[in-house]
Amino acid sequence: MVNASFKPGEVNDIYTDSLYNSGKITSYSQRASASERNFNGRGLAFGLKHLFPKEGEELTVDANYFSGNNKGNALYTTNNYSGNTINNTQLQKILSDGSDHNLMLQADYTKPFSAVTKLETGVRGAFRSRINNNYNYMFSKTAGDYSLVPSATSNYSNTDNVYAAYVTVSSSVKDFSYKIGLRAESSSYSGVLKTTGRQYNNQYPVSLFPSVFLSQKLSPDQDLQLSYTRRVNRPNFFQLIPFADSTDKLNITKG
């Protein structure tokens, strides 16, 4: 189990240049933030290894599960100055909570055909789900209290699944060795913006990722190697969310 608590805070000096027909006008404001975030996580791991009668032949199965919950609050105080005098003050409060669930299943099989030739294959599945809620409040002098700003509130849930399988063959002939492999991978991503019910998804079809490793021994202490691989750089969930997150008005993000 993991439990953590963070209490970051900062002060930002903000200078804004505005262009008018009469020229440029520079305004100054100071923003102080104080926040607290708590996180607790828990996980389980399972592993199985089976050895066959033939030396080097084995099957391994692994399963990992991790989940966590988080909760936080942040207060932003922005003082807008006119010269050295505070002209007005804006108060913003953000309350957040969420959960994260991750499951990984994997099986690998190795079979040697000779002292130098070996087959390796396996499958893997990764499943992730997340809930994230951010409630944005602005202080209203008229009401004398904080009021929720629905347009700047981002509450969403999403799932992210990845499926993969691979096979590799390795061998050597005298001073020359090689390893050739192929991995197939597919994934899907879906989510919902809970405040509006808007749904979104990304489907990635099966893609093939070959790999080749070649090695030639030139002398007892020299090798010549050549390799080729194709890889994928997956976007994280922040990059995939297709709506603007304006919870923090100084840091608006969109996937």
Side-chain angles (χ1 to χ4, degrees), residues 24-223:
K24 182 180 72 173
I25 297 179
T26 300
S27 60
Y28 167 71
S29 59
Q30 188 177 75
R31 185 190 195 226
S33 64
S35 59
E36 180 178 2
R37 192 170 183 86
N38 299 296
F39 173 82
N40 64 80
R42 52 206 170 270
L44 294 172
F46 168 82
L48 172 68
K49 185 175 184 178
H50 176 71
L51 300 177
F52 293 87
K54 185 177 181 178
E55 183 178 357
E57 184 178 5
E58 62 182 44
L59 172 68
T60 60
V61 178
D62 296 285
N64 290 278
Y65 173 76
F66 180 82
S67 66
N69 299 295
N70 64 81
K71 191 174 184 180
N73 63 81
L75 177 64
Y76 299 93
T77 303
T78 303
N79 293 318
N80 299 304
Y81 284 81
S82 177
N84 295 321
T85 304
I86 297 177
N87 188 32
N88 61 74
T89 299
Q90 294 178 332
L91 299 177
Q92 179 185 13
K93 180 173 64 175
I94 297 175
L95 302 180
S96 62
D97 63 78
S99 62
D100 196 5
H101 301 272
N102 300 274
L103 174 65
M104 190 278 291
L105 303 173
Q106 182 169 337
D108 299 281
Y109 173 69
T110 301
K111 182 177 179 60
F113 293 101
S114 67
V116 296
T117 304
K118 180 173 61 175
L119 170 72
E120 297 175 275
T121 185
V123 294
R124 176 188 175 103
F127 312 93
R128 181 175 65 181
S129 63
R130 175 179 283 107
I131 297 176
N132 189 77
N133 299 315
N134 288 287
Y135 302 92
N136 189 2
Y137 297 85
M138 296 296 294
F139 187 81
S140 171
K141 291 183 180 180
T142 304
D145 199 359
Y146 285 92
S147 299
L148 180 67
V149 184
S151 61
T153 296
S154 60
N155 300 337
Y156 63 89
S157 61
N158 67 274
T159 59
D160 184 9
N161 301 325
V162 180
Y163 313 91
Y166 75 93
V167 59
T168 63
V169 176
S170 58
S171 186
S172 63
V173 179
K174 295 183 179 180
D175 294 333
F176 176 76
S177 61
Y178 64 88
K179 185 175 184 178
I180 301 174
L182 182 66
R183 187 177 83 255
E185 192 167 294
S186 174
S187 63
S188 63
Y189 181 95
S190 63
V192 58
L193 183 59
K194 296 193 291 183
T195 51
T196 63
R198 177 185 175 188
Q199 298 183 4
Y200 52 94
N201 61 79
N202 291 280
Q203 300 288 334
Y204 298 92
V206 176
S207 299
L208 300 179
F209 301 89
S211 61
V212 179
F213 298 89
L214 307 176
S215 179
Q216 175 67 50
K217 183 175 288 296
L218 303 178
S219 66
D221 56 355
Q222 285 186 325
D223 286 340

